[in-house]
CSV table of all heavy atoms in Angstrom, one decimal:
chain,number,residue,atom,x,y,z
N,1,MET,N,-1.6,84.7,12.9
N,1,MET,CA,-0.4,83.8,12.9
N,1,MET,C,-0.8,82.4,12.9
N,1,MET,O,-1.9,82.0,13.5
N,1,MET,CB,0.5,84.1,14.1
N,1,MET,CG,1.4,85.2,14.0
N,1,MET,SD,2.5,85.4,15.4
N,1,MET,CE,3.7,84.1,15.2
N,2,ARG,N,0.0,81.6,12.3
N,2,ARG,CA,-0.3,80.1,12.3
N,2,ARG,C,0.1,79.5,13.7
N,2,ARG,O,0.9,80.1,14.4
N,2,ARG,CB,0.5,79.4,11.2
N,2,ARG,CG,0.1,79.9,9.9
N,2,ARG,CD,1.0,79.1,8.9
N,2,ARG,NE,0.8,79.7,7.5
N,2,ARG,CZ,1.6,79.5,6.5
N,2,ARG,NH1,2.7,78.7,6.7
N,2,ARG,NH2,1.3,80.0,5.4
N,3,ASP,N,-0.5,78.4,14.0
N,3,ASP,CA,-0.1,77.7,15.2
N,3,ASP,C,1.3,77.1,15.1
N,3,ASP,O,2.1,77.1,16.1
N,3,ASP,CB,-1.1,76.6,15.6
N,3,ASP,CG,-2.4,77.1,16.0
N,3,ASP,OD1,-2.4,78.3,16.5
N,3,ASP,OD2,-3.4,76.4,15.9
N,4,GLU,N,1.7,76.7,13.9
N,4,GLU,CA,3.0,76.1,13.7
N,4,GLU,C,3.5,76.6,12.3
N,4,GLU,O,2.8,76.9,11.4
N,4,GLU,CB,2.9,74.6,13.6
N,4,GLU,CG,2.7,74.0,15.0
N,4,GLU,CD,2.8,72.4,14.9
N,4,GLU,OE1,3.4,71.9,13.9
N,4,GLU,OE2,2.3,71.8,15.8
N,5,TYR,N,4.8,76.7,12.2
N,5,TYR,CA,5.5,77.1,11.0
N,5,TYR,C,6.5,75.9,10.7
N,5,TYR,O,7.1,75.4,11.5
N,5,TYR,CB,6.3,78.4,11.1
N,5,TYR,CG,5.3,79.6,11.2
N,5,TYR,CD1,4.8,80.0,12.4
N,5,TYR,CD2,5.0,80.2,10.0
N,5,TYR,CE1,4.0,81.1,12.5
N,5,TYR,CE2,4.1,81.3,10.1
N,5,TYR,CZ,3.6,81.7,11.3
N,5,TYR,OH,2.8,82.8,11.4
N,6,ASP,N,6.6,75.7,9.4
N,6,ASP,CA,7.5,74.6,8.9
N,6,ASP,C,8.8,75.1,8.4
N,6,ASP,O,8.9,75.8,7.4
N,6,ASP,CB,6.8,73.8,7.8
N,6,ASP,CG,7.6,72.7,7.2
N,6,ASP,OD1,8.6,72.3,7.9
N,6,ASP,OD2,7.3,72.1,6.2
N,7,PHE,N,9.9,74.9,9.2
N,7,PHE,CA,11.2,75.3,8.8
N,7,PHE,C,12.1,74.2,8.3
N,7,PHE,O,13.3,74.3,8.2
N,7,PHE,CB,11.9,76.0,10.0
N,7,PHE,CG,11.2,77.3,10.4
N,7,PHE,CD1,10.4,77.3,11.6
N,7,PHE,CD2,11.4,78.4,9.7
N,7,PHE,CE1,9.8,78.5,12.0
N,7,PHE,CE2,10.8,79.6,10.1
N,7,PHE,CZ,10.0,79.6,11.2
N,8,SER,N,11.5,73.1,7.9
N,8,SER,CA,12.2,71.9,7.5
N,8,SER,C,13.1,72.2,6.3
N,8,SER,O,14.1,71.5,6.1
N,8,SER,CB,11.3,70.7,7.3
N,8,SER,OG,10.4,71.0,6.3
N,9,LYS,N,12.6,73.1,5.4
N,9,LYS,CA,13.4,73.4,4.2
N,9,LYS,C,14.2,74.7,4.4
N,9,LYS,O,14.8,75.2,3.4
N,9,LYS,CB,12.4,73.5,3.0
N,9,LYS,CG,11.7,72.2,2.7
N,9,LYS,CD,10.8,72.4,1.5
N,9,LYS,CE,10.2,71.0,1.2
N,9,LYS,NZ,8.8,71.0,1.0
N,10,GLY,N,14.3,75.1,5.6
N,10,GLY,CA,15.1,76.4,5.9
N,10,GLY,C,16.6,76.1,5.7
N,10,GLY,O,17.1,75.0,5.9
N,11,GLU,N,17.3,77.2,5.4
N,11,GLU,CA,18.8,77.1,5.2
N,11,GLU,C,19.5,78.0,6.2
N,11,GLU,O,19.3,79.2,6.2
N,11,GLU,CB,19.1,77.6,3.8
N,11,GLU,CG,20.2,76.9,3.1
N,11,GLU,CD,20.4,77.4,1.7
N,11,GLU,OE1,19.4,77.3,0.9
N,11,GLU,OE2,21.4,78.0,1.4
N,12,ARG,N,20.2,77.4,7.1
N,12,ARG,CA,20.9,78.1,8.2
N,12,ARG,C,21.9,79.0,7.5
N,12,ARG,O,22.7,78.6,6.7
N,12,ARG,CB,21.6,77.2,9.2
N,12,ARG,CG,22.3,77.9,10.3
N,12,ARG,CD,22.9,77.0,11.3
N,12,ARG,NE,21.9,76.2,12.0
N,12,ARG,CZ,21.4,76.6,13.2
N,12,ARG,NH1,21.7,77.8,13.6
N,12,ARG,NH2,20.5,75.8,13.8
N,13,GLY,N,21.9,80.3,7.9
N,13,GLY,CA,22.9,81.3,7.5
N,13,GLY,C,22.7,81.8,6.1
N,13,GLY,O,23.6,82.4,5.5
N,14,LYS,N,21.6,81.5,5.5
N,14,LYS,CA,21.4,81.9,4.1
N,14,LYS,C,21.5,83.4,3.9
N,14,LYS,O,22.1,83.9,2.9
N,14,LYS,CB,19.9,81.5,3.6
N,14,LYS,CG,19.6,81.8,2.2
N,14,LYS,CD,18.3,81.3,1.8
N,14,LYS,CE,18.0,81.6,0.3
N,14,LYS,NZ,16.7,81.0,-0.1
N,15,PHE,N,21.1,84.2,4.8
N,15,PHE,CA,21.2,85.7,4.7
N,15,PHE,C,22.3,86.3,5.6
N,15,PHE,O,22.4,87.5,5.7
N,15,PHE,CB,19.8,86.3,5.0
N,15,PHE,CG,18.7,85.8,4.1
N,15,PHE,CD1,17.8,84.9,4.5
N,15,PHE,CD2,18.6,86.3,2.8
N,15,PHE,CE1,16.8,84.5,3.7
N,15,PHE,CE2,17.6,85.9,2.0
N,15,PHE,CZ,16.7,84.9,2.4
N,16,TYR,N,23.1,85.5,6.1
N,16,TYR,CA,24.2,86.0,7.0
N,16,TYR,C,25.3,86.6,6.1
N,16,TYR,O,25.7,86.1,5.1
N,16,TYR,CB,24.8,84.8,7.8
N,16,TYR,CG,26.0,85.2,8.6
N,16,TYR,CD1,25.9,86.0,9.7
N,16,TYR,CD2,27.3,84.8,8.2
N,16,TYR,CE1,27.0,86.4,10.4
N,16,TYR,CE2,28.4,85.2,8.9
N,16,TYR,CZ,28.3,86.0,10.0
N,16,TYR,OH,29.4,86.4,10.8
N,17,ASN,N,25.7,87.8,6.5
N,17,ASN,CA,26.8,88.5,5.8
N,17,ASN,C,27.8,89.0,6.9
N,17,ASN,O,27.5,89.9,7.6
N,17,ASN,CB,26.2,89.7,5.0
N,17,ASN,CG,27.3,90.5,4.3
N,17,ASN,OD1,28.4,90.2,4.4
N,17,ASN,ND2,26.8,91.4,3.5
N,18,PRO,N,28.9,88.4,6.9
N,18,PRO,CA,29.9,88.7,8.0
N,18,PRO,C,30.5,90.1,7.8
N,18,PRO,O,31.0,90.7,8.7
N,18,PRO,CB,31.0,87.7,7.8
N,18,PRO,CG,30.9,87.2,6.4
N,18,PRO,CD,29.4,87.3,6.1
N,19,ASN,N,30.3,90.7,6.6
N,19,ASN,CA,30.8,92.1,6.3
N,19,ASN,C,29.7,93.1,6.5
N,19,ASN,O,30.0,94.3,6.1
N,19,ASN,CB,31.5,92.1,5.0
N,19,ASN,CG,32.6,91.2,4.8
N,19,ASN,OD1,33.4,91.0,5.8
N,19,ASN,ND2,32.7,90.5,3.7
N,20,ALA,N,28.6,92.8,6.9
N,20,ALA,CA,27.5,93.7,7.0
N,20,ALA,C,27.8,94.8,8.1
N,20,ALA,O,28.4,94.4,9.1
N,20,ALA,CB,26.2,93.0,7.3
N,21,LYS,N,27.5,96.0,7.8
N,21,LYS,CA,27.7,97.1,8.8
N,21,LYS,C,26.3,97.4,9.4
N,21,LYS,O,25.3,97.4,8.7
N,21,LYS,CB,28.2,98.3,8.1
N,21,LYS,CG,29.7,98.2,7.7
N,21,LYS,CD,30.3,99.5,7.5
N,21,LYS,CE,31.8,99.3,7.3
N,21,LYS,NZ,32.5,100.6,7.5
N,22,HIS,N,26.3,97.6,10.7
N,22,HIS,CA,25.1,97.8,11.4
N,22,HIS,C,25.2,99.2,12.0
N,22,HIS,O,26.1,99.6,12.7
N,22,HIS,CB,24.9,96.8,12.5
N,22,HIS,CG,24.8,95.4,12.0
N,22,HIS,ND1,23.7,94.9,11.4
N,22,HIS,CD2,25.7,94.4,12.0
N,22,HIS,CE1,24.0,93.6,11.0
N,22,HIS,NE2,25.2,93.3,11.4
N,23,ASN,N,24.2,100.0,11.7
N,23,ASN,CA,24.1,101.4,12.3
N,23,ASN,C,23.4,101.2,13.7
N,23,ASN,O,22.2,100.9,13.7
N,23,ASN,CB,23.3,102.3,11.4
N,23,ASN,CG,24.1,102.6,10.2
N,23,ASN,OD1,25.3,102.7,10.2
N,23,ASN,ND2,23.4,102.8,9.1
N,24,ILE,N,24.1,101.5,14.7
N,24,ILE,CA,23.5,101.4,16.0
N,24,ILE,C,22.9,102.8,16.4
N,24,ILE,O,23.4,103.8,16.0
N,24,ILE,CB,24.5,101.0,17.1
N,24,ILE,CG1,25.7,102.0,17.2
N,24,ILE,CG2,25.0,99.6,16.9
N,24,ILE,CD1,26.6,101.8,18.3
N,25,PRO,N,21.8,102.8,17.1
N,25,PRO,CA,21.2,104.1,17.5
N,25,PRO,C,22.0,104.8,18.6
N,25,PRO,O,22.6,104.1,19.4
N,25,PRO,CB,19.8,103.7,18.0
N,25,PRO,CG,19.9,102.3,18.4
N,25,PRO,CD,21.0,101.7,17.5
N,26,VAL,N,22.1,106.1,18.5
N,26,VAL,CA,22.8,106.9,19.5
N,26,VAL,C,21.7,107.8,20.1
N,26,VAL,O,21.0,108.5,19.4
N,26,VAL,CB,23.9,107.7,18.9
N,26,VAL,CG1,24.5,108.6,19.9
N,26,VAL,CG2,25.0,106.8,18.3
N,27,TYR,N,21.6,107.7,21.4
N,27,TYR,CA,20.5,108.4,22.1
N,27,TYR,C,21.1,109.6,22.8
N,27,TYR,O,22.1,109.5,23.6
N,27,TYR,CB,19.8,107.6,23.1
N,27,TYR,CG,19.1,106.4,22.4
N,27,TYR,CD1,19.7,105.1,22.5
N,27,TYR,CD2,18.0,106.6,21.7
N,27,TYR,CE1,19.1,104.0,21.9
N,27,TYR,CE2,17.3,105.5,21.1
N,27,TYR,CZ,17.9,104.2,21.2
N,27,TYR,OH,17.3,103.2,20.5
N,28,LEU,N,20.7,110.8,22.5
N,28,LEU,CA,21.2,112.1,23.1
N,28,LEU,C,20.2,112.5,24.1
N,28,LEU,O,19.0,112.3,24.0
N,28,LEU,CB,21.3,113.1,22.0
N,28,LEU,CG,22.2,112.8,20.8
N,28,LEU,CD1,22.1,113.9,19.8
N,28,LEU,CD2,23.6,112.6,21.3
N,29,ASP,N,20.7,113.2,25.1
N,29,ASP,CA,19.8,113.8,26.1
N,29,ASP,C,19.0,114.8,25.4
N,29,ASP,O,19.4,115.4,24.4
N,29,ASP,CB,20.7,114.6,27.2
N,29,ASP,CG,21.4,113.6,28.1
N,29,ASP,OD1,21.1,112.4,28.1
N,29,ASP,OD2,22.4,114.1,28.7
N,30,SER,N,17.8,115.0,25.9
N,30,SER,CA,16.8,115.9,25.1
N,30,SER,C,17.3,117.3,25.0
N,30,SER,O,17.2,117.9,23.9
N,30,SER,CB,15.5,115.9,25.8
N,30,SER,OG,15.6,116.4,27.1
N,31,GLU,N,18.0,117.9,26.0
N,31,GLU,CA,18.5,119.2,25.8
N,31,GLU,C,19.6,119.3,24.8
N,31,GLU,O,19.8,120.3,24.1
N,31,GLU,CB,18.9,119.9,27.2
N,31,GLU,CG,20.0,119.2,27.9
N,31,GLU,CD,19.6,118.1,28.8
N,31,GLU,OE1,18.4,117.7,28.8
N,31,GLU,OE2,20.5,117.6,29.5
N,32,VAL,N,20.4,118.3,24.7
N,32,VAL,CA,21.5,118.2,23.7
N,32,VAL,C,20.9,118.1,22.3
N,32,VAL,O,21.3,118.8,21.4
N,32,VAL,CB,22.5,117.1,24.0
N,32,VAL,CG1,23.5,116.9,22.9
N,32,VAL,CG2,23.2,117.2,25.4
N,33,LEU,N,20.0,117.2,22.2
N,33,LEU,CA,19.3,117.1,20.9
N,33,LEU,C,18.6,118.4,20.5
N,33,LEU,O,18.8,118.8,19.3
N,33,LEU,CB,18.3,115.9,21.0
N,33,LEU,CG,17.5,115.7,19.7
N,33,LEU,CD1,18.4,115.3,18.6
N,33,LEU,CD2,16.5,114.6,20.0
N,34,ASP,N,17.9,119.0,21.4
N,34,ASP,CA,17.2,120.3,21.0
N,34,ASP,C,18.2,121.3,20.6
N,34,ASP,O,18.0,122.0,19.6
N,34,ASP,CB,16.4,120.8,22.2
N,34,ASP,CG,15.2,119.9,22.6
N,34,ASP,OD1,14.8,119.1,21.7
N,34,ASP,OD2,14.7,120.0,23.7
N,35,TYR,N,19.3,121.4,21.3
N,35,TYR,CA,20.4,122.4,20.9
N,35,TYR,C,20.9,122.2,19.5
N,35,TYR,O,20.9,123.1,18.7
N,35,TYR,CB,21.5,122.3,21.9
N,35,TYR,CG,22.7,123.2,21.6
N,35,TYR,CD1,22.7,124.5,22.0
N,35,TYR,CD2,23.8,122.7,20.9
N,35,TYR,CE1,23.7,125.4,21.7
N,35,TYR,CE2,24.8,123.6,20.6
N,35,TYR,CZ,24.8,124.9,21.0
N,35,TYR,OH,25.8,125.7,20.6
N,36,PHE,N,21.3,120.9,19.2
N,36,PHE,CA,21.8,120.6,17.9
N,36,PHE,C,20.8,120.7,16.8
N,36,PHE,O,21.1,121.1,15.7
N,36,PHE,CB,22.5,119.3,17.9
N,36,PHE,CG,23.9,119.3,18.6
N,36,PHE,CD1,24.1,118.6,19.7
N,36,PHE,CD2,24.9,120.1,18.1
N,36,PHE,CE1,25.4,118.7,20.3
N,36,PHE,CE2,26.1,120.2,18.7
N,36,PHE,CZ,26.4,119.5,19.8
N,37,VAL,N,19.6,120.3,17.1
N,37,VAL,CA,18.5,120.5,16.1
N,37,VAL,C,18.4,121.9,15.7
N,37,VAL,O,18.3,122.3,14.5
N,37,VAL,CB,17.2,119.9,16.6
N,37,VAL,CG1,16.0,120.3,15.7
N,37,VAL,CG2,17.2,118.4,16.6
N,38,GLU,N,18.4,122.8,16.7
N,38,GLU,CA,18.2,124.2,16.4
N,38,GLU,C,19.4,124.8,15.6
N,38,GLU,O,19.3,125.5,14.6
N,38,GLU,CB,18.0,125.0,17.7
N,38,GLU,CG,17.8,126.5,17.5
N,38,GLU,CD,16.5,126.8,16.7
N,38,GLU,OE1,15.5,126.0,16.7
N,38,GLU,OE2,16.6,127.8,15.9
N,39,LYS,N,20.6,124.4,16.0
N,39,LYS,CA,21.9,124.8,15.3
N,39,LYS,C,21.9,124.3,13.9
N,39,LYS,O,22.3,125.1,13.0
N,39,LYS,CB,23.1,124.4,16.1
N,39,LYS,CG,23.3,125.0,17.4
N,39,LYS,CD,23.5,126.5,17.2
N,39,LYS,CE,23.7,127.2,18.6
N,39,LYS,NZ,23.7,128.6,18.5
N,40,ALA,N,21.5,123.1,13.7
N,40,ALA,CA,21.5,122.5,12.3
N,40,ALA,C,20.4,123.3,11.4
N,40,ALA,O,20.7,123.6,10.3
N,40,ALA,CB,21.1,121.1,12.3
N,41,LYS,N,19.3,123.6,12.0
N,41,LYS,CA,18.3,124.4,11.3
N,41,LYS,C,18.8,125.7,10.9
N,41,LYS,O,18.6,126.2,9.7
N,41,LYS,CB,17.0,124.5,12.2
N,41,LYS,CG,15.8,124.8,11.4
N,41,LYS,CD,14.6,124.9,12.4
N,41,LYS,CE,14.3,123.5,13.1
N,41,LYS,NZ,13.1,123.6,14.0
N,42,VAL,N,19.4,126.4,11.8
N,42,VAL,CA,20.0,127.8,11.5
N,42,VAL,C,21.0,127.7,10.4
N,42,VAL,O,21.0,128.6,9.5
N,42,VAL,CB,20.6,128.4,12.8
N,42,VAL,CG1,21.4,129.7,12.5
N,42,VAL,CG2,19.4,128.7,13.8
N,43,LYS,N,21.9,126.7,10.5
N,43,LYS,CA,22.9,126.5,9.5
N,43,LYS,C,22.4,126.0,8.1
N,43,LYS,O,23.1,126.0,7.1
N,43,LYS,CB,24.0,125.6,10.0
N,43,LYS,CG,24.9,126.2,11.0
N,43,LYS,CD,26.1,125.3,11.3
N,43,LYS,CE,27.1,126.0,12.1
N,43,LYS,NZ,28.3,125.2,12.2
N,44,GLY,N,21.2,125.4,8.2
N,44,GLY,CA,20.6,124.8,6.9
N,44,GLY,C,21.3,123.5,6.5
N,44,GLY,O,21.4,123.2,5.4
N,45,VAL,N,21.7,122.8,7.5
N,45,VAL,CA,22.3,121.5,7.3
N,45,VAL,C,21.5,120.4,8.0
N,45,VAL,O,20.8,120.6,8.9
N,45,VAL,CB,23.8,121.4,7.7
N,45,VAL,CG1,24.6,122.4,6.9
N,45,VAL,CG2,24.0,121.6,9.2
N,46,GLU,N,21.7,119.1,7.6
N,46,GLU,CA,21.1,118.0,8.2
N,46,GLU,C,21.7,117.8,9.6
N,46,GLU,O,23.0,118.0,9.7
N,46,GLU,CB,21.2,116.7,7.4
N,46,GLU,CG,20.5,116.8,6.0
N,46,GLU,CD,19.0,116.8,6.3
N,46,GLU,OE1,18.5,116.1,7.2
N,46,GLU,OE2,18.3,117.5,5.5
N,47,LEU,N,20.9,117.4,10.5
N,47,LEU,CA,21.4,117.1,11.9
N,47,LEU,C,22.5,116.1,11.9
N,47,LEU,O,23.6,116.3,12.5
N,47,LEU,CB,20.3,116.7,12.8
N,47,LEU,CG,20.7,116.3,14.2
N,47,LEU,CD1,21.2,117.5,15.0
N,47,LEU,CD2,19.5,115.7,14.9
N,48,ASP,N,22.4,115.0,11.2
N,48,ASP,CA,23.4,113.9,11.2
N,48,ASP,C,24.7,114.4,10.6
N,48,ASP,O,25.8,114.0,11.1
N,48,ASP,CB,22.9,112.6,10.6
N,48,ASP,CG,22.4,112.8,9.1
N,48,ASP,OD1,22.1,113.9,8.7
N,48,ASP,OD2,22.4,111.8,8.4
N,49,ALA,N,24.6,115.2,9.6
N,49,ALA,CA,25.8,115.7,8.9
N,49,ALA,C,26.6,116.6,9.9
N,49,ALA,O,27.8,116.5,10.0
N,49,ALA,CB,25.5,116.4,7.7
N,50,MET,N,25.9,117.5,10.6
N,50,MET,CA,26.5,118.4,11.5
N,50,MET,C,27.1,117.6,12.7
N,50,MET,O,28.3,117.9,13.1
N,50,MET,CB,25.5,119.4,12.1
N,50,MET,CG,26.2,120.5,12.9
N,50,MET,SD,25.0,121.8,13.4
N,50,MET,CE,24.4,120.9,14.9
N,51,VAL,N,26.4,116.7,13.3
N,51,VAL,CA,26.9,115.9,14.4
N,51,VAL,C,28.1,115.1,14.0
N,51,VAL,O,29.1,115.0,14.7
N,51,VAL,CB,25.8,115.0,15.0
N,51,VAL,CG1,26.4,114.1,16.1
N,51,VAL,CG2,24.7,115.9,15.7
N,52,ASN,N,28.1,114.5,12.8
N,52,ASN,CA,29.3,113.7,12.3
N,52,ASN,C,30.5,114.6,12.1
N,52,ASN,O,31.6,114.3,12.5
N,52,ASN,CB,28.9,113.0,11.0
N,52,ASN,CG,28.3,111.7,11.2
N,52,ASN,OD1,28.7,110.9,12.0
N,52,ASN,ND2,27.2,111.5,10.5
N,53,ASP,N,30.2,115.8,11.6
N,53,ASP,CA,31.4,116.8,11.4
N,53,ASP,C,32.0,117.2,12.8
N,53,ASP,O,33.2,117.2,12.9
N,53,ASP,CB,30.8,118.0,10.7
N,53,ASP,CG,32.0,119.0,10.3
N,53,ASP,OD1,33.0,118.5,9.8
N,53,ASP,OD2,31.8,120.2,10.6
N,54,LEU,N,31.1,117.4,13.8
N,54,LEU,CA,31.6,117.8,15.1
N,54,LEU,C,32.4,116.6,15.7
N,54,LEU,O,33.5,116.8,16.3
N,54,LEU,CB,30.5,118.2,16.0
N,54,LEU,CG,29.8,119.5,15.7
N,54,LEU,CD1,28.5,119.7,16.4
N,54,LEU,CD2,30.7,120.7,16.0
N,55,LEU,N,31.9,115.4,15.6
N,55,LEU,CA,32.6,114.3,16.1
N,55,LEU,C,33.9,114.0,15.4
N,55,LEU,O,34.9,113.7,16.1
N,55,LEU,CB,31.7,113.0,16.0
N,55,LEU,CG,30.5,113.0,17.0
N,55,LEU,CD1,29.6,111.8,16.7
N,55,LEU,CD2,30.9,113.0,18.4
N,56,LYS,N,34.0,114.2,14.1
N,56,LYS,CA,35.2,114.1,13.4
N,56,LYS,C,36.3,115.1,13.9
N,56,LYS,O,37.5,114.8,14.0
N,56,LYS,CB,35.0,114.2,11.9
N,56,LYS,CG,34.3,113.0,11.3
N,56,LYS,CD,34.0,113.3,9.8
N,56,LYS,CE,33.2,112.1,9.2
N,56,LYS,NZ,32.8,112.3,7.8
N,57,LYS,N,35.8,116.3,14.1
N,57,LYS,CA,36.7,117.3,14.7
N,57,LYS,C,37.2,116.9,16.1
N,57,LYS,O,38.4,117.1,16.4
N,57,LYS,CB,36.1,118.7,14.7
N,57,LYS,CG,35.8,119.3,13.3
N,57,LYS,CD,35.1,120.6,13.4
N,57,LYS,CE,34.8,121.1,12.0
N,57,LYS,NZ,33.9,122.3,12.1
N,58,ASP,N,36.4,116.4,16.9
N,58,ASP,CA,36.8,115.9,18.2
N,58,ASP,C,37.8,114.8,18.1
N,58,ASP,O,38.8,114.7,18.8
N,58,ASP,CB,35.6,115.4,19.0
N,58,ASP,CG,34.8,116.6,19.6
N,58,ASP,OD1,35.3,117.7,19.6
N,58,ASP,OD2,33.7,116.3,20.1
N,59,ILE,N,37.6,113.9,17.1
N,59,ILE,CA,38.5,112.8,16.9
N,59,ILE,C,39.9,113.3,16.5
N,59,ILE,O,40.9,112.9,17.0
N,59,ILE,CB,38.0,111.8,15.9
N,59,ILE,CG1,36.8,111.0,16.4
N,59,ILE,CG2,39.0,110.8,15.4
N,59,ILE,CD1,36.0,110.2,15.4
N,60,ALA,N,39.9,114.3,15.6
N,60,ALA,CA,41.1,114.9,15.2
N,60,ALA,C,41.9,115.5,16.4
N,60,ALA,O,43.1,115.4,16.5
N,60,ALA,CB,40.9,115.9,14.1
N,61,LEU,N,41.1,116.2,17.3
N,61,LEU,CA,41.7,116.8,18.4
N,61,LEU,C,42.3,115.8,19.4
N,61,LEU,O,43.4,115.9,19.9
N,61,LEU,CB,40.7,117.7,19.2
N,61,LEU,CG,40.3,119.0,18.6
N,61,LEU,CD1,39.1,119.6,19.3
N,61,LEU,CD2,41.5,119.9,18.6
N,62,ILE,N,41.6,114.7,19.6
N,62,ILE,CA,42.0,113.6,20.5
N,62,ILE,C,43.3,113.0,19.9
N,62,ILE,O,44.3,112.7,20.6
N,62,ILE,CB,40.9,112.6,20.7
N,62,ILE,CG1,39.8,113.2,21.5
N,62,ILE,CG2,41.4,111.3,21.3
N,62,ILE,CD1,38.5,112.4,21.4
N,63,GLU,N,43.3,112.7,18.6
N,63,GLU,CA,44.4,112.1,18.0
N,63,GLU,C,45.6,113.0,18.0
N,63,GLU,O,46.8,112.5,18.0
N,63,GLU,CB,44.0,111.6,16.6
N,63,GLU,CG,43.0,110.5,16.6
N,63,GLU,CD,43.5,109.2,17.3
N,63,GLU,OE1,44.7,108.8,17.1
N,63,GLU,OE2,42.7,108.6,18.0
N,64,GLY,N,45.4,114.3,17.9
N,64,GLY,CA,46.5,115.3,17.9
N,64,GLY,C,47.2,115.4,19.2
N,64,GLY,O,48.4,115.7,19.3
N,65,VAL,N,46.5,115.0,20.3
N,65,VAL,CA,47.1,115.1,21.6
N,65,VAL,C,48.0,113.9,21.9
N,65,VAL,O,48.9,114.0,22.7
N,65,VAL,CB,46.0,115.2,22.7
N,65,VAL,CG1,46.5,115.1,24.1
N,65,VAL,CG2,45.2,116.5,22.5
N,66,LYS,N,47.7,112.8,21.3
N,66,LYS,CA,48.5,111.5,21.5
N,66,LYS,C,49.9,111.7,21.2
N,66,LYS,O,50.4,112.3,20.4
N,66,LYS,CB,47.9,110.4,20.7
N,66,LYS,CG,46.6,109.9,21.3
N,66,LYS,CD,46.1,108.7,20.6
N,66,LYS,CE,44.8,108.1,21.2
N,66,LYS,NZ,44.4,106.9,20.5
């Protein structure tokens, strides 16, 4: 690394995108993760697809109770 960097020609906000979507990490307990990894493997689907499907079903149940 250099001792100093010259930012005098830098442009504030050049790469800022107010509409950018950020994927935040979701951390599962190890036993929960192990369970779903095994179930996804048995079903032959990707883990993220299976978890998203389960969460969508939960959302539908929650919204149906309101």
Side-chain angles (χ1 to χ4, degrees):
M1 276 183 76
R2 298 179 187 163
D3 289 335
E4 289 186 19
Y5 288 89
D6 181 13
F7 293 104
S8 63
K9 294 182 179 134
E11 213 177 299
R12 182 179 292 273
K14 182 176 183 177
F15 298 104
Y16 174 71
N17 180 355
N19 299 319
K21 288 199 172 196
H22 302 284
N23 292 324
I24 57 170
V26 175
Y27 300 102
L28 302 174
D29 291 341
S30 60
E31 63 270 9
V32 173
L33 179 60
D34 293 342
Y35 176 84
F36 283 117
V37 165
E38 185 58 34
K39 291 297 179 187
K41 200 180 295 181
V42 168
K43 286 186 167 191
V45 297
E46 294 291 326
L47 175 64
D48 59 337
M50 189 178 81
V51 171
N52 275 312
D53 186 47
L54 290 168
L55 291 173
K56 287 176 185 176
K57 289 176 183 175
D58 281 347
I59 290 169
L61 286 171
I62 292 166
E63 292 299 317
V65 172
K66 286 186 176 181

